[in-house]
């Protein structure tokens, strides 16, 4: 996301009382108010209609320009009233304006392909001298855009008053007030000459009596509408077929089921949105909360899936004014009276305007951050249209979305690739050292502009896919495709426009090394096409074409050379990619028919499979289908199909293993094993193979399965164990996955670095800049502590040790172990558990096997409250013993940390022998910084300074310095002035006004009231 772009079709702003004069006939000529009252987009998203009180404007979505406008006459306003709402027929051929006096004014939108608008002619410019892209741009500017005309069609009067209206392909549905009913008005009369039909709400047994419909939305893909009534209820409604033979139901036009009943006034429904991709229905409530339901079937099974809380208090946000799912279904945007907010489909918060400084926003007149009245998605979800109350401007916010939303591919998940309306944004941190990967430096993002030639002809971009090694990227728009080399920075597009327009990518794309595999539709035929990155894009350079009997739904690479293609006929095809020096071909080696298992092939979002290890190594690829366990992502359900043989018959057992899945990642599909940072196995093929040792023989996380459910990243560490548990032959529950909570949207899991990578949006405002903008920043979260904890809680310390061995050379490995200790301590400090249920003993035993164990414990104490220390040291050796061990290992600063623990536990006397011993060792080691810290510590124990003086006297240190020491440093230590006044009461930030150093706000206070700073000692790695 970036800064918002502004568009306006009007140049002046009218007053509301002038409009009232027009409506009452007191004005000499019609007058417009510039404030935009309504906004609608066509089904394809290429046209947008907006209205003011007296004018309708038709916009083109890409590029965003006004194509036509129509202002109503004075007599029309006087007779029919002012505009209050606008509706578009889904194919954008008819626009309907709803007026304040209960009329529907209809217009035909006619595109004239012969006439052009916005033709730009540059005088004195010699086009013949222009080359390449510049010549193409000049040609496009000269050609302009096709003209669109608005033609008045008819006026429809609704005597019963209009409560809500909905335009469909064949009719317009109007909900009336008095009486409360639903009228269906066909665009054209049927063969019997009938054009209207009506059903009273009182005759709809499934609706609450006495209610009036106040909002309606419809989704063609689901063939489902949602009605919201005046009592705050929501209903899922379907239109009955007109040729129904049921005589008792001939007069029934609709059937429906109530699924949202408010328990109080704050939960009354006001707005609705339908998500066909995930089969969810979102209901916006008066209190700002959003309830999301799952439509399981058309028989009324619509349970509550989850709730989305308001991004701020209801007084801050105001009521919901609009609700819309993105075209790909992955995003939900809500417009509020005082801003807007964005979430993922299952509720992960994204960008929001409620973090803006309202004073700066008002100064800059940025209404899109202050109030939003209408919201809509355009350009395949790449742009967000926003309008504000009493404002004539349209605000367009460019969105950067994950490539997973356009093309579900394991490579898109393993590497963060973002797509905007005109650019690719590639994160290059995966190719850098570990410390650079977790950096939020903006220079790690590479912005790549999509070629203007391809973008102009084929916008919007509908899909993008990267290769597993991140070297190549391909994009596909309305037709054709283009691909890009990250290394060379060069695009390749079709030189022949006819060849580019001859096919459309449908079913997805994926990379096999430098070969792009695309599922396409061309002239009513379906194909798999293979393009080499090394060759140009044209019909003659195709490496291979594989005919398909039906349209591909999903294509995906799995294993080293296996290609899975799932088609609309419910058949899964298995191909092997055979590559030689000169050719690359596909060979079909198996297929699997899934009739009766997957009911709706179009709802499948991803597919992969899991083969036994012995079949992967030594098996015949043609027999893979017989041994494979297939994973399907259907809507948001992760479905596992396991094969079994019964009486010589092959059958499949189906089980849903996860719900609310936004995406999943099977690590086997990444193609490489997890390599130890210290020792990596050689690349394959190679004759110089390392011996199979415990380091590489174990599976570790190579067989892990990850998914994101809108709340947390979850992981099954061993998919083989999952398959065994899911088998119908075993009466076992599924193993619980590891849950890793994040406060950002996770996009990738980097196994060899132990982190989850994701994105977060930040709103930037400055008083010296007159606009606000969003920036996406990279965020990371360590997953290693969570998985180690899972291993220890499962009483499998050996697995934890093997896993830790793989990551021990990471620069932040010690921090991961510290987080493990901290997590368990926080959970168990106040837990009322039996002694056998505590995990802390196992964690302490596990950490004690690492050389930096003492440092880990000290670091944990510095970052936890004192009340947690008793719980921690109940499972550790005594602080005195840990102090002695630190001294023995010459970990002086670590030993200093244990001094603080000893003091807090009242095990350290004022004239502490331990402190003097440590001070002596610090002096001998020449660590004068530690000497100064110990001096301050002794001053904190005894503000009179006597203890410090005795300690220095015992060490034979005087003002002139020690023969073995540094006089200047010792003088600095002893030059610390004594307090001029000693107070009996010590404040939270220091001991007295004359104390040598102010203690930080994070202080530790012992039971006797003496405080000591946690910042006195900082541990080191030794």
């Amino acid at each position: 996301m970036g800064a918002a772009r502004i568009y306006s079709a009007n140049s002046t702003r009218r007053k509301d009382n002038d409009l009232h004069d027009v409506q009452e006939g007191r004005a000499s000529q019609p007058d417009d108010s510039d404030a935009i009252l309504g906004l609608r987009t066509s089904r394809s998203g290429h046209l947008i209609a907006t209205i003011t009180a007296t004018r309708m404007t038709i916009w083109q979505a890409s590029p965003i320009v006004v194509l036509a406008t129509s202002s109503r006459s004075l007599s029309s306003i006087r007779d029919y009233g002012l505009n209050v709402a606008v509706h578009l027929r889904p194919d954008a051929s008819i626009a309907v304006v709803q007026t304040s006096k209960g009329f529907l004014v209809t217009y035909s939108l006619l595109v004239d392909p012969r006439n052009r608008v916005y033709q730009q002619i540059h005088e004195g410019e010699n086009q013949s001298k222009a080359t390449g892209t510049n010549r193409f741009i000049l040609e496009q500017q000269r050609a302009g855009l096709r003209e669109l005309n608005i033609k008045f069609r008819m006026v429809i009067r609704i005597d019963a008053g209009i409560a809500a209206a909905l335009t469909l392909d064949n009719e317009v549905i109007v909900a009336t007030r008095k009486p409360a009913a639903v009228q269906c008005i066909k665009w054209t009369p049927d063969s019997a000459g009938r054009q209207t039909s009506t059903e009273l709400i009182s005759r709809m047994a499934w609706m609450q009596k006495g209610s009036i419909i106040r909002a309606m939305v419809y989704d063609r893909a689901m063939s489902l509408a949602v009605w919201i009534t005046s009592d705050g209820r929501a209903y899922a409604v379907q239109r009955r077929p007109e040729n129904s033979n049921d005589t008792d139901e001939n007069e029934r036009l609709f059937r429906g089921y109530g699924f949202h009943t408010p328990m109080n006034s704050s939960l009354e429904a006001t707005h609705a949105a339908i998500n066909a991709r995930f089969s969810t229905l979102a209901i916006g409530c008066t209190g700002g909360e959003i309830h999301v339901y799952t439509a399981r079937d058309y028989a009324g099974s619509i349970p509550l899936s989850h709730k989305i809380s308001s991004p701020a208090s209801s007084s801050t946000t105001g009521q919901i004014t609009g609700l819309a799912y993105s075209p790909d279904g992955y995003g939900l945007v809500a417009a509020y009276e005082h801003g807007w907010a964005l979430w993922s489909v299952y509720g992960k918060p994204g960008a929001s305007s409620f973090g803006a400084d309202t004073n700066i926003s008002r100064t800059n007149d940025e209404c899109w951050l202050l109030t939003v009245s209408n919201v809509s998605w355009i350009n395949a979800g790449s742009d967000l249209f926003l309008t504000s109350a009493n404002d004539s401007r349209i605000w367009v916010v460019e969105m950067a979305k994950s490539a997973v939303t356009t093309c579900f591919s394991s490579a898109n998940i393993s590497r963060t690739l973002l797509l905007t309306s005109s650019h690719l944004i590639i994160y290059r941190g995966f190719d850098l050292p570990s410390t650079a990967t977790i950096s939020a430096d903006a220079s790690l993002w590479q912005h790549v502009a999509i070629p203007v030639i391809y973008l102009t002809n084929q916008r919007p971009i509908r899909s993008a896919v990267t290769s597993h090694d991140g070297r190549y990227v391909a994009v596909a728009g309305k037709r054709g495709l283009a691909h890009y080399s990250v290394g060379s920075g060069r695009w390749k597009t079709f030189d022949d426009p006819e060849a580019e327009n001859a096919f459309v990518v449908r079913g997805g794309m994926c990379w096999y090394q430098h070969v792009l595999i695309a599922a396409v539709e061309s002239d009513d035929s379906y194909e798999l096409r293979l393009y080499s990155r090394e060759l140009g894009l044209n019909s003659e350079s195709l490496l291979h074409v594989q005919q398909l009997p039906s349209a591909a739904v999903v294509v995906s690479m799995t294993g080293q050379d296996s290609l899975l293609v799932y088609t609309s006929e419910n058949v899964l095809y298995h191909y092997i990619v055979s590559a030689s020096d000169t050719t690359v071909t596909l060979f079909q080696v198996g297929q699997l028919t899934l009739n009766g298992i997957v009911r709706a092939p179009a709802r499948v979002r991803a597919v992969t499979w899991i083969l036994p290890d012995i079949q992967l190594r030594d098996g015949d690829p043609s027999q893979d289908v017989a041994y494979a366990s297939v994973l399907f992502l259907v809507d948001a359900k992760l479905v596992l199909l396991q094969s079994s043989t019964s009486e010589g018959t092959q059958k499949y057992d189906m089980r849903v293993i996860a719900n609310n899945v936004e995406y999943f990642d099977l690590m086997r599909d990444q193609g490489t094993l997890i390599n130890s940072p210290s020792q990596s196995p050689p690349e394959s093929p190679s004759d110089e193979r390392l011996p199979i040792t415990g380091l590489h023989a174990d599976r570790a996380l190579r067989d892990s399965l990850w998914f994101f459910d809108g709340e947390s990243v979850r992981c099954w560490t061993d998919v083989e164990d999952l398959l065994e548990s899911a088998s119908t032959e075993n009466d076992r529950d599924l193993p619980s996955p590891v849950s890793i909570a994040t406060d950002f949207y996770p996009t990738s899991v980097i196994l060899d670095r132990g982190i989850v990578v994701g994105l977060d949006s930040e709103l930037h405002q400055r008083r010296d800049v007159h606009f606000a903008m969003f920036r996406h920043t990279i965020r990371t979260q360590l997953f290693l502590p969570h998985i180690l904890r899972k291993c220890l809680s499962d009483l499998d310390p050996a697995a934890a040790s093997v896993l830790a061995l793989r990551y021990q050379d990471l620069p932040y490995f010690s921090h991961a172990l510290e987080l493990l200790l901290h997590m368990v301590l926080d959970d168990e400090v106040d837990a009322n558990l039996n002694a056998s249920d505590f995990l802390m003993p196992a964690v302490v035993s596990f950490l004690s096997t690492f050389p930096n164990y003492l440092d880990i414990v000290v670091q944990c104490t510095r970052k936890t409250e004192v009340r947690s220390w008793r719980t921690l040291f109940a499972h550790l050796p005594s602080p005195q013993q840990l102090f002695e061990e630190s001294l023995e290992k010459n970990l002086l600063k670590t030993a200093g940390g244990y001094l603080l623990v000893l003091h807090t536990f009242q095990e350290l006397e004022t004239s502490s022998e331990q402190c003097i011993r440590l001070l002596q060792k610090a002096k001998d080691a020449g660590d004068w910084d530690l000497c100064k810290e110990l001096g301050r510590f002794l001053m904190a124990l005894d503000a009179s300074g006597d203890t410090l003086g005795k300690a220095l006297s015992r060490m034979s240190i005087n003002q002139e310095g020690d023969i073995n020491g540094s006089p200047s440093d010792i003088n600095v230590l002893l030059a610390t002035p004594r307090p001029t006044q000693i107070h009996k009461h010590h404040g939270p930030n220091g001991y007295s006004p004359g104390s040598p150093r102010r203690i930080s706000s994070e202080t530790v206070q012992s039971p006797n009231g003496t405080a000591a700073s946690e910042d006195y000692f900082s541990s080191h790695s030794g």
Side-chain angles (χ1 to χ4, degrees), residues 50 56 87 145 254 301 316 380 496 605 705 713 781 805 975 1001:
T50 61
M56 179 178 68
H87 307 276
L145 305 174
F254 303 94
S301 178
T316 301
D496 183 5
R605 296 167 47 212
L705 175 61
V713 177
Q781 171 79 35
L805 182 63
S1001 58

Side-chain angles (χ1 to χ4, degrees), residues 214 228-233 260-271 283-291 314 318-320:
R214 65 180 182 185
I228 295 177
T229 57
S230 55
D231 56 1
R233 298 172 182 262
H260 176 81
T261 302
M263 303 302 295
N264 53 61
S265 59
S266 65
L267 298 179
E268 292 182 358
T270 59
H271 291 79
I283 301 297
C285 304
T286 54
E289 196 173 61
I290 300 173
H291 290 198
S314 57
Q319 292 193 358
I320 295 177

Side-chain angles (χ1 to χ4, degrees), residues 277-300:
R277 172 62 67 89
F278 291 88
S279 299
T280 58
L281 312 176
I283 301 297
C285 304
T286 54
E289 196 173 61
I290 300 173
H291 290 198
V292 182
Y293 296 83
T294 300
R296 292 180 177 173
D297 53 38
Y298 294 102

Side-chain angles (χ1 to χ4, degrees), residues 179-196:
V182 179
Q183 291 187 6
C184 300
I185 307 172
K186 297 181 181 298
W187 297 115
T188 56
D190 58 17
S191 57
R194 293 175 301 182
Q195 192 169 3
T196 62

